[in-house]
Amino acid sequence: MTKPSPSRPGLSKSRITAFEQCPRRLWLMVHRPDLARQDSGAEARFATGHDVGALACALHPGGVMIEPEGGLDAALAETAWLIAERHPGPLFEATFQHDGVLVRADILEREGRNGWRLAEVKSSTGPKDYHLGDLATQVWVLREAGVSLTSAAIRHIDTGFVLAREGDYAGLFADADLLDEASVLAQNRPKVVAAARAVLAGEEPVREMGDHCASPFACEFAAWCSRAAPVGPDWPVTILPNGGGKKWAAQGVADLLALDEAQLSPKHARVLAATRDDRPFHDAMGARAAMAGWARPLAFLDFETINPAVPRWLGTRPYQQVPFQFSLHLEGAGGAMAHHEFLSVDGSDPRRPCAEALIAAIPPEATIVAYNAAFEKRVLRELARDLPDLARPLLAMEARTVDLLPVAREHWYHRDQRGSWSIKAVLPTLSALGYEGLEVKDGGSAQEAWLEAADPACAADRRWALAEQLKAYCALDTLAMVAVMRGLAGEG
Ligand code: SF4
């Protein structure tokens, strides 16, 4: 067994994965970890991964956890002893090392007298391409350590699972056995490891930024690598929506203003003209025509949802979007707006009270207006599925839901949108409203706030403060729709 030394930094499956994404990323991880800047969702992703991993182990109550606290040598020795003694398993975090490459196998399950099934637990809903390299590194190290593998699987979330009994998560996971594919890839691990070591022994590698900086992971060193990048044009061609800018960028065009409208589709030509002339494109008549069929009163609706990988409430599925909040601006006589809202932060199942509050607040003849309505429609359909006694009014609401986003897309563009028609991009171009100053300012931070508030350990005054932040955010989302609709119609 070759041990790593300070002059020969150790490798792990995650470091090798980093190397396969970008050699410079591995070098920075090892030599300049102080330069890493995690994105705002990193903590939530880590927490999800931790919860899913813990649950996968909990489904095997007789398993043995190889604790890392005693140090690497102790973990390696305990693992070797359990394997040699033909422990019935399963083993969690079984620890192996070969050629200075350390792996901790999520779950090893005994098969027959000498075989082991390896399971790498992931919170994804299926295997991804980059999982294979991860698995191949483990297959290589485990086999070199003398472990006889009968399968090597990505143990992922099964989206068909429904939580039918409190705490019963049997069936939450499904295995995708990739032993054959991983075995083929395992053959090149010595070369990959040697190449990674060569990179670590040298200076910081030169690598231009590109698509690889975001795939398979958003690189935590993007700020460092982009610090010396040349300043681009004020209006980069990549502003063009629907990937239209990428095509021009690939042809060496960096500046949107270097293009001619005749080269572009009508929508892209509008973006170019509005940008170049600093004059918004506005087809108010077209917008009014598009919205003319929306029967009054109008009910502007927005949901905030939580979608845990591990279902929290009976009858829910992995990653189901469960609404814990809605805001509703309801148009009354003369265009006056009444505000209604629902928010549940006590951690109980919010679906029924949310659905009942919706039904009570929205008149049966109202047209429901949402921005990017596919999301609200889906939430309504899933509420109807889960609450059969309320299905009729909920499905009727879904049928009466219309979408403001395509109206904005077709009939308005201001260059400050920089190629985006998200409500946060459109709102300040059509009204004086904006999201600055809010503590909860997007769906991700709303989920974080809800998770903190719904935690039983959250203090009452903190929970109250979080609830107020959530209410302010969601109310602005529906008020924003009112403002955008009026602006599109030229009534601003
Ligand atoms: S930002 Fe891009 S180029 Fe820089 S280390 Fe990360 S992946 Fe490599």
Side-chain angles (χ1 to χ4, degrees):
M1 188 189 307
T2 320
K3 286 195 177 181
S5 69
S7 58
R8 187 174 183 267
L11 290 171
S12 62
K13 61 185 180 187
S14 56
R15 284 184 173 181
I16 291 173
T17 300
F19 171 73
E20 292 192 303
Q21 178 175 1
C22 171
R24 191 179 184 186
R25 181 170 177 230
L26 171 67
W27 192 95
L28 289 166
M29 272 173 96
V30 172
H31 295 300
R32 293 300 309 272
D34 54 304
L35 298 174
R37 299 287 176 272
Q38 300 295 346
D39 66 69
S40 57
E43 207 173 307
R45 286 196 301 276
F46 180 78
T48 296
H50 179 269
D51 290 352
V52 167
L55 185 59
C57 293
L59 289 173
H60 301 277
V64 176
M65 174 66 76
I66 315 296
E67 302 288 354
E69 281 74 25
L72 177 59
D73 286 344
L76 289 166
E78 185 181 1
T79 302
W81 183 79
L82 289 166
I83 300 270
E85 290 296 307
R86 294 202 170 86
H87 189 279
L91 308 182
F92 308 133
E93 302 291 324
T95 307
F96 303 90
Q97 191 168 258
H98 171 70
D99 192 19
V101 178
L102 178 75
V103 301
R104 290 196 164 92
D106 287 343
I107 300 179
L108 269 184
E109 294 169 282
R110 172 69 79 186
E111 176 142 352
R113 186 167 157 72
N114 294 316
W116 291 93
R117 293 195 305 269
L118 166 66
E120 169 80 357
V121 180
K122 299 290 184 190
S123 56
S124 60
T125 56
K128 311 261 187 215
D129 287 349
Y130 70 88
H131 292 161
L132 198 53
D134 217 16
L135 211 51
T137 301
Q138 294 183 73
V139 166
W140 174 61
V141 171
L142 265 67
R143 281 187 170 150
E144 292 293 338
V147 177
S148 171
L149 290 173
T150 57
S151 72
I154 296 299
R155 184 159 293 174
H156 59 86
I157 299 282
D158 184 346
T159 50
F161 175 82
V162 180
L163 183 62
R165 277 178 302 279
E166 202 77 53
D168 183 359
Y169 290 99
L172 175 63
F173 294 98
D175 280 1
D177 184 5
L178 300 173
L179 179 60
D180 291 345
E181 296 88 333
S183 297
V184 172
L185 210 55
Q187 292 169 17
N188 77 354
R189 293 294 100 173
K191 272 192 191 158
V192 172
V193 167
R197 286 233 163 79
V199 164
L200 287 175
E203 297 296 314
E204 180 180 344
V206 176
R207 179 87 197 260
E208 295 296 320
M209 293 186 74
D211 289 349
H212 63 281
C213 301
S215 175
F217 307 103
C219 180
E220 63 274 41
F221 298 105
W224 169 254
C225 292
S226 62
R227 75 198 186 288
V231 177
D234 287 344
W235 304 103
V237 76
T238 47
I239 280 175
L240 289 175
N242 307 120
K246 273 194 168 180
K247 186 188 88 181
W248 292 104
Q251 293 175 34
V253 177
D255 191 346
L256 173 64
L257 301 185
L259 294 175
D260 187 277
E261 279 144 278
Q263 300 169 279
L264 300 172
S265 69
K267 181 182 268 186
H268 289 174
R270 290 201 297 258
V271 171
L272 170 58
T275 305
R276 183 195 55 219
D277 304 339
D278 191 12
R279 188 182 311 146
F281 162 77
H282 190 191
D283 172 18
M285 193 183 294
R288 284 195 294 273
M291 300 184 287
W294 296 0
R296 263 49 183 188
L298 299 180
F300 296 82
L301 176 66
D302 182 66
F303 287 120
E304 295 305 324
T305 60
I306 190 80
N307 60 335
V310 177
R312 296 174 72 115
W313 300 291
L314 290 180
T316 60
R317 299 150 197 258
Y319 294 113
Q320 179 175 335
Q321 301 281 0
V322 177
F324 60 81
Q325 180 177 21
F326 72 73
S327 171
L328 177 76
H329 274 92
L330 185 63
E331 191 181 41
M337 288 288 163
H339 186 233
H340 303 259
E341 64 188 352
F342 167 83
L343 175 62
S344 168
V345 288
D346 63 6
S348 62
D349 186 347
R351 287 172 296 169
R352 180 168 290 279
C354 176
E356 289 176 346
L358 270 180
I359 293 165
I362 301 181
E365 71 279 13
T367 297
I368 296 169
V369 183
Y371 203 87
N372 198 10
F375 181 75
E376 269 67 28
K377 281 172 162 265
R378 178 176 158 194
V379 171
L380 288 167
R381 275 196 308 276
E382 291 184 349
L383 283 175
R385 180 197 63 202
D386 295 351
L387 304 166
D389 56 314
L390 303 178
R392 186 185 286 241
L394 290 167
L395 290 176
M397 281 181 199
E398 192 238 353
R400 298 198 316 274
T401 300
V402 297
D403 199 343
L404 190 55
L405 171 59
V407 183
R409 244 193 216 127
E410 287 306 312
H411 304 288
W412 173 260
Y413 183 76
H414 186 291
R415 70 178 188 172
D416 289 351
Q417 292 171 228
R418 300 188 75 81
S420 167
W421 277 266
S422 77
I423 195 142
K424 291 175 181 63
V426 173
L427 180 66
T429 69
L430 277 168
S431 83
L433 294 172
Y435 288 78
E436 310 77 37
L438 290 183
E439 302 212 37
V440 171
K441 34 174 116 233
D442 55 38
S445 55
Q447 291 190 340
E448 281 171 27
W450 184 86
L451 284 169
E452 184 183 346
D455 187 329
C458 185
D461 55 347
R462 175 65 179 154
R463 182 173 293 136
W464 180 85
L466 290 164
E468 292 304 304
Q469 292 169 17
L470 283 163
K471 285 180 192 171
Y473 167 64
C474 200
L476 182 54
D477 266 348
T478 47
L479 200 56
M481 276 189 253
V482 176
V484 166
M485 182 179 166
R486 288 178 176 168
L488 290 173
E491 301 166 0

